[in-house]
């Protein structure tokens, strides 16, 4: 890795537009980050305009597709300059596969080309050109586009290359039965609402949004006459957008205060490794990892708000009759912070990536789905060694947590007091386990990761291995993999 430049030079390290450089200097924030936030805020305003003035009742779907695509392409060039060529090359290559490959192989070719190109970009950016994490990171949009490209390829394969009886209910709902046009393909992958920060979404949902069928599809599931309506209501995203913008603002304030006060580099410093006692290290690790979250809360919640402002992301009506705009939400902060199991934590963190991993890996591989899914997740994130420490540790912790839950949880359900005590203990264990597991993800390199884990005596690795080796394996009732017939199993192996 190249030596770290002086802090004053960081704002210059970008291949994107430099028109906001004075603002970057004034705020003391790297220019690429200023460009990112500026594009997202402009996207928010554009989304409001898009929903009002390019409403499906006023504009054709072709116009909506074209506008969303052109503005998205402009954002990518503004933020990443010539690096945006990587994005366009991948999109064009995979569209070539989409129109030329047979439906029986389209998902395989697309997956290996997209993941291969992404991995090459990860390696070249980090290890060949020594760009590290200080220059413009074009891999973020490339990762999102890779998710969308592979998701669409698998759904086209489901719709055109598999029998309906071999599909799960979710696969059947999302199967694409007609290959997209070039404009639809570009719009889905490069639209201004999600090209910079995501999230990944499904092609059928996106096309329904562009064509004005998005909310109606969800509303038709409810009988509105019983609620006093004579027709379908028109849900407004305004309340959801305001709520998410408030969360974004709080997250930004926490990032500027808490994250700056407790940087992750503290975890590899001598006082932490050699002087602090074990309980202090454990508590400080939790605090530092909590402080690393606001930037994710900020980016993902703002991206969700942008999509909602455009009218995309309506998920239906909850049990209280309230409109929900969480179809594209990437996290549930309350459930993350109150999670009482590793599984619950993962289900509410980076939700759309978890859905992608399930779509292209977990529910399709015939063996070791958990291990292979973690490996794919690490490969998708990049080639920093810390990612692999995190995901391999995550495999152990997931299997151990499963074993403990299946063997002991039912003993604590007989009374509210026992259940409360169980929840309190498992909450603390989950939060500490997550902090230990994901620390290498933010430390990135091998040396600080080993310093941290050595100072913690590899305690969670040892405990997890002992649990896996000595606790009896019981049926995993809480894991809802789709039941399959003999035909579907054979078909999956063929896929």
């Amino acid at each position: 890795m190249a030596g770290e430049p002086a802090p004053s030079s960081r704002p210059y390290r970008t291949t994107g537009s430099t028109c906001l450089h004075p603002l970057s200097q004034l705020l003391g924030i790297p220019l690429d980050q200023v460009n990112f936030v500026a594009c997202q805020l402009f996207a928010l305003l554009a989304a409001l305009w898009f929903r009002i003035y390019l409403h499906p009742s006023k504009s054709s779907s072709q116009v909506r597709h074209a506008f969303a695509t052109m503005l998205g392409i402009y954002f990518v060039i503004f933020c990443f300059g010539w690096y945006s060529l990587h994005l366009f090359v991948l999109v064009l290559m995979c569209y070539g596969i989409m129109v030329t490959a047979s439906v029986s192989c389209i998902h395989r070719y697309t997956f290996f080309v997209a993941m291969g190109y992404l991995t090459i970009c990860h390696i070249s950016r980090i290890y060949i050109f020594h760009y590290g994490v200080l220059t413009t990171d074009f891999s973020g949009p490339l990762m999102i586009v890779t998710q969308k490209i592979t998701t669409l390829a698998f759904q086209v394969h489901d719709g055109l290359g598999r029998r309906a009886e071999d599909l799960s209910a979710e696969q059947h709902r999302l199967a694409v039965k007609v290959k997209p046009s070039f404009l639809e393909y570009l719009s889905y992958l490069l639209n201004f609402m999600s090209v910079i920060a995501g999230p990944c979404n499904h092609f059928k949902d996106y096309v329904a949004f562009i064509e004005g069928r998005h909310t109606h599809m969800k509303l038709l599931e409810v009988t509105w006459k019983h609620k006093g309506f004579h027709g379908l209501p028109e849900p407004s995203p305004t309340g959801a957008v305001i709520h998410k913008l408030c969360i974004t603002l709080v997250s930004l304030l926490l990032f500027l205060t808490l994250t700056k006060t407790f940087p992750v580099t503290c975890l590899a410093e001598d006082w932490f490794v050699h002087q602090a006692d074990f309980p202090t290290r454990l508590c400080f690790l939790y605090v530092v990892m909590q402080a690393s979250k606001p930037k994710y809360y900020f980016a993902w919640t703002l991206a969700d708000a942008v999509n909602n402002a455009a009218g995309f992301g309506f998920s239906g009506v909850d049990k209280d009759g309230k409109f929900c705009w969480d179809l594209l939400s990437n996290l549930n902060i309350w459930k993350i912070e109150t999670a009482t199991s590793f599984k619950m934590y993962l289900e509410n963190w980076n939700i759309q990536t978890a859905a992608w991993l399930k779509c292209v890996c977990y529910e399709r591989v015939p063996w070791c789905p958990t291990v292979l899914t973690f490996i794919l997740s690490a490969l998708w994130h990049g080639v920093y060694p810390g990612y692999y420490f995190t995901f391999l540790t995550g495999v152990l912790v997931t299997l151990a947590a499963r074993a403990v839950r299946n063997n002991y949880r039912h003993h604590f359900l007989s009374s509210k007091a026992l259940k409360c005590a169980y929840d309190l203990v498992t909450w603390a264990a989950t939060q500490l386990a997550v902090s230990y597991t994901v620390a290498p993800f933010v430390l990135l390199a091998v040396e600080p990761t080993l310093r941290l884990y050595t100072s913690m005596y590899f305690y969670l690795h040892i405990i997890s291995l002992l649990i896996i080796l000595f606790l009896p394996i019981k049926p995993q009732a809480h894991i809802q993999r789709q039941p399959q017939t003999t035909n579907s199993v054979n078909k999956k192996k063929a896929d």
Side-chain angles (χ1 to χ4, degrees), residues 404-421:
V404 171
R405 185 177 179 85
N406 290 340
N407 279 276
Y408 295 111
R409 184 174 183 271
H410 60 278
H411 295 301
F412 295 88
L413 302 180
S414 57
S415 71
K416 288 185 178 180
L418 282 175
K419 178 65 166 56
C420 184

Side-chain angles (χ1 to χ4, degrees), residues 71-179:
L71 188 56
I73 290 173
Y74 174 76
F75 282 171
V76 172
I77 295 173
F78 181 87
C79 284
F80 306 105
W82 69 268
Y83 278 165
S84 58
L85 287 175
H86 288 293
L87 207 65
F88 304 145
V89 167
L90 179 59
V91 168
L92 293 176
M93 283 196 305
C94 289
Y95 186 72
I97 296 173
M98 175 69 67
V99 297
T100 60
S102 67
V103 291
S104 61
C105 299
I106 194 172
H107 58 307
R108 292 190 196 129
Y109 296 157
T110 302
F111 180 84
F112 286 113
V113 168
M115 285 300 302
Y117 193 88
L118 175 64
T119 302
I120 291 170
C121 288
H122 279 316
I123 293 171
S124 64
R125 187 180 67 86
I126 296 169
Y127 293 116
I128 297 178
F129 296 105
H130 303 292
Y131 289 164
V133 295
L134 297 178
T135 53
T136 303
D137 187 1
F138 68 94
S139 62
L142 198 62
M143 290 161 69
I144 298 297
V145 164
T146 297
Q147 285 187 345
K148 290 184 176 183
I149 285 172
T150 52
T151 297
L152 177 55
F154 274 92
Q155 290 170 351
V156 169
H157 171 66
D158 289 342
L160 298 176
R162 298 177 67 188
R163 295 179 302 178
E165 58 267 26
D166 294 329
L167 303 176
S168 69
E170 183 73 357
Q171 289 171 347
H172 187 271
R173 183 182 75 82
L174 297 171
V176 177
K177 300 184 182 300
V178 178
K179 289 185 179 181

Side-chain angles (χ1 to χ4, degrees), residues 229-302:
F229 290 88
H230 297 291
L232 291 178
E234 186 67 31
S236 171
T238 303
V241 171
I242 292 173
H243 174 72
K244 290 171 185 178
L245 288 179
C246 289
I247 294 175
T248 298
L249 180 60
V250 172
S251 299
L252 179 61
L253 293 175
L254 290 175
F255 172 75
L256 294 174
T257 54
L258 189 63
T259 305
K260 302 295 184 182
T261 305
F262 298 99
V264 295
T265 52
C266 293
L267 300 178
E269 292 179 355
D270 286 338
W271 75 267
F272 178 85
V273 174
H274 299 299
Q275 298 175 21
D277 54 31
F278 183 76
T280 301
R281 292 174 194 155
L282 204 59
C283 294
F284 193 76
L285 173 63
Y286 172 73
V287 171
V288 171
M289 296 316 299
Q290 286 294 103
S292 70
K293 293 179 185 178
K295 65 178 180 181
Y296 298 102
Y297 291 170
F298 171 82
W300 289 342
T301 306
L302 179 57

Side-chain angles (χ1 to χ4, degrees), residues 5 14 30 62 64 76 93 107 132 167 170 190 212 220 247 259 264 267 306 311 432 453 459 473 476:
T14 183
Q62 300 300 310
R64 284 165 62 83
V76 172
M93 283 196 305
H107 58 307
L167 303 176
E170 183 73 357
L190 301 176
L220 287 174
I247 294 175
T259 305
V264 295
L267 300 178
V306 169
L432 293 176
Y453 277 166
Y459 85 96
I473 299 175
Q476 299 167 8

Side-chain angles (χ1 to χ4, degrees), residues 4 9 45 48 113 240 283 337 457 474:
E4 186 171 314
S9 69
L45 297 176
L48 293 170
V113 168
C283 294
E337 301 300 343
Y457 312 114
K474 291 189 176 183

Side-chain angles (χ1 to χ4, degrees), residues 178-467:
V178 178
K179 289 185 179 181
S181 68
F182 186 55
L183 179 59
E184 288 175 331
Y185 194 78
L186 290 181
S187 178
Y188 172 60
L189 298 178
L190 301 176
N191 69 81
F192 73 93
M193 297 167 290
S194 61
V195 70
I196 299 297
C200 180
N201 50 71
H202 298 294
F203 179 76
K204 289 183 75 171
D205 289 334
Y206 179 74
V207 171
F209 154 70
I210 289 292
E211 295 177 354
R213 299 180 286 108
H214 173 58
T215 56
H216 289 176
M217 289 168 55
K218 305 294 182 181
L219 292 172
L220 287 174
E221 300 171 4
V222 180
T223 304
W224 291 99
K225 288 185 178 180
H226 295 165
K227 299 178 180 293
F229 290 88
H230 297 291
L232 291 178
E234 186 67 31
S236 171
T238 303
V241 171
I242 292 173
H243 174 72
K244 290 171 185 178
L245 288 179
C246 289
I247 294 175
T248 298
L249 180 60
V250 172
S251 299
L252 179 61
L253 293 175
L254 290 175
F255 172 75
L256 294 174
T257 54
L258 189 63
T259 305
K260 302 295 184 182
T261 305
F262 298 99
V264 295
T265 52
C266 293
L267 300 178
E269 292 179 355
D270 286 338
W271 75 267
F272 178 85
V273 174
H274 299 299
Q275 298 175 21
D277 54 31
F278 183 76
T280 301
R281 292 174 194 155
L282 204 59
C283 294
F284 193 76
L285 173 63
Y286 172 73
V287 171
V288 171
M289 296 316 299
Q290 286 294 103
S292 70
K293 293 179 185 178
K295 65 178 180 181
Y296 298 102
Y297 291 170
F298 171 82
W300 289 342
T301 306
L302 179 57
D304 195 11
V306 169
N307 280 274
N308 290 170
F312 189 26
F314 182 68
S315 59
V317 183
D318 66 14
K319 60 182 180 181
D320 298 321
K322 296 180 180 179
F323 297 130
C324 297
W325 289 86
D326 58 0
L327 181 69
L328 305 179
S329 295
N330 227 352
L331 58 112
N332 185 318
I333 297 176
W334 174 253
K335 289 185 177 180
I336 287 171
E337 301 300 343
T338 60
T340 57
S341 71
F342 206 72
K343 175 178 179 288
M344 180 179 175
Y345 194 105
L346 294 179
E347 285 177 345
N348 292 283
W349 176 270
N350 208 350
I351 297 170
Q352 304 306 324
T353 294
W356 170 71
L357 291 168
K358 178 184 176 184
C359 171
V360 303
C361 183
Y362 186 83
E363 65 181 11
R364 296 182 189 269
V365 296
W367 39 266
C368 298
T370 300
V371 175
L372 291 177
T373 300
F374 271 108
I375 292 173
L376 174 59
S377 183
L379 188 64
W380 174 78
H381 277 90
V383 291
Y384 281 112
Y387 296 161
Y388 296 86
F389 276 100
T390 285
F391 290 110
L392 292 176
T393 302
V395 172
L396 293 178
V397 175
T398 298
L399 296 175
R402 231 177 246 175
V404 171
R405 185 177 179 85
N406 290 340
N407 279 276
Y408 295 111
R409 184 174 183 271
H410 60 278
H411 295 301
F412 295 88
L413 302 180
S414 57
S415 71
K416 288 185 178 180
L418 282 175
K419 178 65 166 56
C420 184
Y422 174 86
D423 287 343
L424 184 61
V425 171
T426 53
W427 170 81
T430 297
Q431 300 299 323
L432 293 176
V434 169
S435 298
Y436 178 96
T437 301
V438 303
F441 190 93
V442 293
L443 290 171
L444 300 177
V446 173
E447 183 182 354
T449 296
L450 291 179
R451 281 171 63 85
L452 170 66
Y453 277 166
T454 301
S455 72
M456 307 295 288
Y457 312 114
F458 290 90
Y459 85 96
L460 193 57
H461 291 88
I462 295 171
I463 292 173
S464 298
L465 283 171
L466 291 175
I467 290 173

